[in-house]
Amino acid sequence: MRNPSSLKQEFLKKWIKGLQICSATKKKMSIIERKKAIKLSADIAMASTRKFTTYWSHSLLANASKDDTNKIIINNILGNDDISKRSMIFKKSSMGLLAMSQKIIRCKKIVTKSCKISRQRRQLNFSPKQVEVGCTISRKGRKMISPISIARKLVKKRTQILKSLIPGGEYMDNVSLIKETLDYILSLRVQVDVMRHLANASEITNPKTSL
């Protein structure tokens, strides 16, 4: 991760440029449209500061590029980078995400097959202690879910939630997800710090408007 100070400067520069492009593209905007323009330009500026080094930035820019208007903003914010180079990077990124998704599918198939074998063993009347993974049998013969099984379910559920929050997270494995999440959080912190400083500066220069 680069120096936060230089990241903030680069983000602010690109964000302002994105806002200028948004305002030039559409002169009259409603409050909702302005909010969307601010968020869009901020997201693109934040992703562009990562220099195509993270999956979340690739995914964010790729999703934004689906709209033709957003493509204009992206091309202007990214500056004089070679278009063919960018397209090649996007292609490599999409291939990497595809490989990750295929790996996840294979893992799911393995888990499904394991569960199927486990059910077949139950039908063959194997000993409950040999079959029931993550479960214990009480003295009264009742099946009790072990803390390990509960913890696994919680981890799985929270991992799914995290994947839904990180751009491109659904294609990441758990190790990549942790790395990408940390980088994404740091980038969001840079974005929030810049916005907070601008808001504070606006309140100081225009105290009446903040009332």
Side-chain angles (χ1 to χ4, degrees):
M1 191 74 179
R2 287 164 49 196
N3 183 10
S5 179
S6 63
L7 269 178
K8 289 177 183 178
Q9 291 176 2
E10 184 180 357
F11 167 74
L12 179 59
K13 182 180 177 181
K14 292 184 175 182
W15 183 34
I16 292 172
K17 192 173 184 179
L19 290 172
Q20 290 172 344
I21 297 165
C22 287
S23 61
T25 305
K26 193 171 184 179
K27 297 293 183 181
K28 294 182 179 180
M29 289 189 289
S30 63
I31 295 175
I32 296 174
E33 287 175 333
R34 286 180 182 179
K35 287 181 179 179
K36 288 182 179 179
I38 291 170
K39 185 181 184 304
L40 175 66
S41 56
D43 286 343
I44 294 172
M46 182 177 67
S48 65
T49 59
R50 302 306 298 123
K51 306 295 184 184
F52 303 104
T53 57
T54 57
Y55 280 113
W56 70 260
S57 60
H58 283 294
S59 181
L60 200 153
L61 290 173
N63 290 333
S65 298
K66 293 177 182 178
D67 188 281
D68 292 334
T69 306
N70 296 346
K71 282 183 181 179
I72 298 171
I73 301 171
I74 292 171
N75 290 334
N76 280 275
I77 288 178
L78 294 180
N80 297 322
D81 294 339
D82 186 20
I83 296 175
S84 60
K85 182 181 178 182
R86 269 185 276 156
S87 62
M88 183 179 67
I89 292 171
F90 275 123
K91 187 176 180 181
K92 286 182 179 180
S93 174
S94 60
M95 289 174 65
L97 292 174
L98 180 62
M100 278 189 178
S101 63
Q102 289 174 346
K103 184 179 178 182
I104 292 170
I105 291 170
R106 285 197 298 270
C107 292
K108 286 182 178 179
K109 286 182 178 179
I110 292 170
V111 172
T112 304
K113 190 174 181 180
S114 299
C115 292
K116 186 177 180 181
I117 293 171
S118 180
R119 285 195 298 269
Q120 289 174 351
R121 286 180 177 177
R122 290 193 190 98
Q123 292 173 359
L124 292 172
N125 296 323
F126 273 73
S127 172
K129 291 183 180 179
Q130 295 176 352
V131 177
E132 298 290 345
V133 180
C135 297
T136 57
I137 306 299
S138 66
R139 291 181 179 179
K140 294 182 180 180
R142 295 177 182 175
K143 185 172 72 173
M144 300 174 63
I145 300 174
S146 68
I148 295 174
S149 179
I150 295 172
R152 284 175 180 171
K153 287 181 179 179
L154 286 173
V155 169
K156 184 178 179 181
K157 184 178 180 180
R158 290 175 182 179
T159 301
Q160 290 174 346
I161 294 171
L162 184 59
K163 285 184 176 183
S164 66
L165 295 174
I166 306 300
E170 63 271 17
Y171 301 111
M172 300 176 193
D173 56 23
N174 291 342
V175 176
S176 300
L177 181 65
I178 293 170
K179 292 179 181 178
E180 294 286 322
T181 301
L182 291 173
D183 189 271
Y184 187 58
I185 290 171
L186 290 172
S187 297
L188 285 175
R189 186 174 293 175
V190 168
Q191 188 186 90
V192 170
D193 286 344
V194 171
M195 290 181 174
R196 184 181 289 119
H197 285 309
L198 286 176
N200 292 337
S202 177
E203 289 179 359
I204 293 171
T205 54
N206 301 303
K208 292 182 180 180
T209 57
S210 61
L211 296 176

